[in-house]
Amino acid sequence: FLKASIMGLFLFSLAVAFAGFIGILSNKSHRCKNVYHLIKITGIISALLGTIAFLLAAVSLSTSVLWHDACEMSKIVTSDFEPFLGDKIAPGANACFNDTNLAIAL
């Protein structure tokens, strides 16, 4: 679904650019002065699509960075708590997480 929506956005942007190109070419002839408004509409739609694309890119980049960092942090924490809790508390936390006896760990 994501690939189809990205392809649809790309094709819509291509159609808008093509409509603007037609507006520019037909503006040179004296018969088609009404197509001049097509250039204005194309500019507005292009600005909106550009803004939406940048917002989607920012959201997806932020989400992927946070998701990746959360996964890496959970891997580090679950392997050893000492860098995060210190050398006095970490053996107890490691023992609880690894299902070993606290009396042996401490």
Side-chain angles (χ1 to χ4, degrees):
F1 178 73
L2 182 63
K3 289 181 182 180
S5 62
I6 291 173
M7 185 58 83
L9 183 64
F10 174 73
L11 291 176
F12 183 68
S13 301
L14 187 65
V16 167
F18 187 67
F21 185 67
I22 290 174
I24 290 171
L25 288 180
S26 63
N27 189 30
K28 296 294 182 183
S29 68
H30 297 290
R31 293 177 290 166
C32 299
K33 288 293 182 180
N34 292 334
V35 186
Y36 176 70
H37 298 291
L38 189 61
I39 297 172
K40 291 181 182 179
I41 293 170
T42 302
I44 292 170
I45 291 175
S46 296
L48 289 175
L49 284 177
T51 304
I52 290 170
F54 278 123
L55 289 175
L56 288 174
V59 167
S60 65
L61 182 64
S62 300
T63 304
S64 66
V65 165
L66 288 175
W67 189 266
H68 179 71
D69 285 348
C71 289
E72 290 298 318
M73 189 64 91
S74 66
K75 285 181 188 175
I76 292 171
V77 168
T78 56
S79 65
D80 187 19
F81 283 98
E82 188 172 349
F84 301 100
L85 297 178
D87 56 348
K88 291 186 179 185
I89 302 173
N94 284 334
C96 291
F97 195 80
N98 294 331
D99 199 26
T100 59
N101 193 350
L102 279 174
I104 296 171
L106 296 174

